[in-house]
Amino acid sequence: MTYLEELGCKAKKAEAAIRGISQNTKNLALAAVADSLVKNAELIISDNQKDIENAKANNMSEAMQDRLRLDMKRIEAMAEGVRKIVELPDPVGKVWGGKELPNGLKIVKKSVPLGVVGIIFESRPNVTVDAAALCLKSGNVSVLRGGSDAINSNKRLVSIMREAISGAGVDENAINLVEDTSREAVGEFMKLNRYIDVLIPRGGHGLIQNVVNNSTIPVIQTGEGNCSVYVDKSADIETAVNIVDNGKTQRPSVCNAIENILVHEDAAEEFLRALDKKWNGKVKIYGDAAASKYIKTDREATEEDYKTEFLDYVISVKTVKDISEAIDFINTYGTRHSECIVTSELSNAERFQREVDAAAVYVNASTRFTDGGEFGLGAEIGISTQKLHARGPMGLEEMTSYKYLINGNGQIRQ
């Protein structure tokens, strides 16, 4: 039996035990995790610093280093996220409906855990904690495979969490880390359908497509965010500038940051001049010929740019003649994550939300709100960009499936 098969076997054995624990036990275990994260913050930061030093040596961009970096504030935020999950209702055992058939059979549809959940993700060690906590609260076992760039941070975080839940009476194998970060291990991990019930990739285009194309485990597609803001001709310019600035620069390395600006040709001059003044060279801009008249561009935008999730202080700008062109652009180049229109026209707002194919469609608000915590879900396992099972931020309810419970008194089918 290989290393990964042994890991999968332990996780599968833990599933039965986790499925039967009470809400109170799960909450006590998660509270212990939150306390242990803060208590061991210095150890976490020390191991995280090893990852940061390796990232610098490997010439990782500043934006990507920001995804990787942990400090006291971020560790406290992770712990607070776990505490918020404790406060949320248990999603397991929720009754979705029921009925009694004419033959007397009583049927109830009730929520149950997904089972063993594999998560493949990149860089961000906070995902390690969010994913493990959401899985445990929803009665699932987690098998976590982070990137090699965060291996020291992840090993420390998982060790702390396993010790904490074990002390609260929960099988430590409810939380597992794949410590082999080789490409070969990823390939084998994606084939563990005997042990893992669902696989969730979080990361860039290459990672997600690799999992979708090669996994024998059912996949929930998440993460890739080629998001756009369309500035309509009726947009309030100050509002549009603030939304675009927040969407690009508040934290450019995350999936709900924007990568494209679409601006109506009638609003282009006023908006782009105001944005140029706001950024003053802070963001590298790839623009079309019309946009370059009003804002400093680094070069002309290409079709490849429109498809690219930059995850950095880089953005493409395109002028459009109307809302139809903007919607067509988004549905062509977007990744069905988060899209926004800034407008004062109700009809355009309604049309945009109706016709844009994305998990989250905003009117006059930043796409940066597409987040489990911001949506009141406590945390998220990822942002689903597909349409089956779950869509958008995946919180506790999205980490469950359901089964039918049928009670009778001797009925047989004729």
Side-chain angles (χ1 to χ4, degrees):
M1 185 175 282
T2 68
Y3 160 70
L4 280 170
E5 287 173 331
E6 288 181 0
L7 194 67
C9 189
K10 289 178 182 178
K12 201 64 181 176
K13 286 181 179 178
E15 181 193 357
I18 301 306
R19 194 188 305 129
I21 64 176
S22 68
Q23 176 178 336
N24 184 59
T25 299
K26 289 188 286 188
N27 287 342
L28 287 173
L30 289 170
V33 166
D35 292 342
S36 293
L37 290 171
V38 176
K39 180 180 177 181
N40 292 284
E42 289 186 10
L43 289 173
I44 297 169
I45 292 170
S46 176
D47 283 320
N48 178 251
Q49 188 58 38
K50 297 175 186 176
D51 293 328
I52 293 295
E53 290 170 3
N54 290 334
K56 290 178 179 177
N58 292 324
N59 297 315
M60 181 183 284
S61 71
E62 285 293 332
M64 295 303 289
Q65 286 183 46
D66 180 62
R67 288 168 67 111
L68 180 59
R69 184 173 290 107
L70 292 177
D71 53 25
M72 192 65 210
K73 183 178 179 181
R74 289 186 177 181
I75 292 169
E76 288 176 343
M78 288 193 299
E80 184 58 28
V82 176
R83 293 189 182 102
K84 287 181 179 178
I85 292 172
V86 171
E87 296 170 0
L88 294 171
D90 194 326
V92 179
K94 179 177 179 179
V95 175
W96 289 100
K99 59 185 174 181
E100 183 173 347
L101 301 183
N103 63 6
L105 283 178
K106 295 177 180 178
I107 302 177
V108 173
K109 182 180 178 181
K110 185 174 286 191
S111 63
V112 296
L114 292 172
V116 180
V117 179
I119 303 103
I120 299 180
F121 56 100
E122 299 172 332
S123 295
R124 296 167 61 187
N126 65 296
V127 173
T128 306
V129 175
D130 287 351
L134 282 167
C135 284
L136 182 57
K137 176 78 177 194
S138 54
N140 295 293
V141 172
S142 56
V143 182
L144 309 163
R145 197 282 183 185
S148 58
D149 48 2
I151 187 61
N152 294 295
S153 305
N154 288 337
K155 285 169 70 173
R156 178 65 67 182
L157 290 169
V158 170
S159 175
I160 289 168
M161 290 190 290
R162 282 169 63 92
E163 183 177 351
I165 66 172
S166 179
V170 175
D171 187 341
E172 66 178 5
N173 291 315
I175 301 173
N176 306 276
L177 177 69
V178 178
E179 296 188 10
D180 185 342
T181 60
S182 67
R183 291 180 179 271
E184 292 77 16
V186 174
E188 184 184 351
F189 186 41
M190 291 189 290
K191 308 296 184 185
L192 294 179
N193 53 298
R194 181 179 176 185
Y195 307 105
I196 297 176
D197 296 291
V198 63
L199 190 57
I200 302 174
R202 287 189 61 168
H205 178 77
L207 168 68
I208 292 170
Q209 290 306 307
N210 181 33
V211 174
V212 169
N213 293 334
N214 295 294
S215 176
T216 61
I217 305 167
V219 175
I220 298 177
Q221 204 168 327
T222 76
E224 187 181 3
N226 187 20
C227 309
S228 301
V229 170
Y230 166 54
V231 180
D232 195 23
K233 66 178 179 181
S234 67
D236 177 84
I237 298 302
E238 183 179 0
T239 298
V241 168
N242 288 337
I243 286 173
V244 166
D245 178 55
N246 182 258
K248 179 74 268 183
T249 70
Q250 195 228 13
R251 200 172 180 193
S253 61
V254 293
C255 62
N256 56 20
I258 63 169
E259 309 294 3
N260 295 294
I261 302 169
L262 306 171
V263 56
H264 193 287
E265 59 188 11
D266 292 347
E269 180 174 3
E270 186 179 4
F271 167 73
L272 291 174
R273 289 193 188 283
L275 184 64
D276 195 36
K277 183 178 180 181
K278 176 80 171 181
W279 280 349
N280 192 28
K282 182 178 182 180
V283 178
K284 184 179 291 186
I285 298 170
Y286 305 148
D288 63 4
S292 65
K293 297 177 184 177
Y294 312 119
I295 192 169
K296 183 182 177 182
T297 58
D298 291 83
R299 63 168 170 77
E300 186 173 353
T302 66
E303 185 175 14
E304 192 62 32
D305 293 328
Y306 297 146
K307 300 176 182 177
T308 300
E309 185 183 20
F310 297 111
L311 300 174
D312 204 345
Y313 290 95
V314 182
I315 201 163
S316 65
V317 181
K318 179 177 175 59
T319 55
V320 295
K321 65 179 183 297
D322 54 28
I323 188 174
S324 296
E325 187 178 351
I327 292 171
D328 182 63
F329 177 99
I330 289 169
N331 288 340
T332 299
Y333 297 107
T335 51
R336 301 187 296 185
H337 192 295
S338 301
E339 309 292 349
C340 168
I341 182 174
V342 185
T343 185
S344 297
E345 291 186 27
L346 178 60
S347 60
N348 280 356
E350 291 176 337
R351 181 183 174 191
F352 190 85
Q353 289 190 313
R354 183 175 62 249
E355 296 184 14
V356 165
D357 183 14
V361 185
Y362 291 83
V363 173
N364 298 333
S366 171
T367 59
R368 287 284 289 113
F369 287 105
T370 306
D371 174 85
E374 295 291 338
F375 276 25
L377 304 178
E380 69 191 34
I381 204 81
I383 310 291
S384 172
T385 55
Q386 63 184 37
K387 298 181 180 180
L388 294 180
H389 174 66
R391 200 174 197 196
M394 292 181 61
L396 291 173
E397 277 196 3
E398 288 74 27
M399 295 304 296
T400 63
S401 182
Y402 57 83
K403 64 181 176 184
Y404 289 97
L405 308 178
I406 305 98
N407 291 310
N409 55 6
Q411 288 92 337
I412 60 173
R413 184 169 178 177
Q414 300 300 319

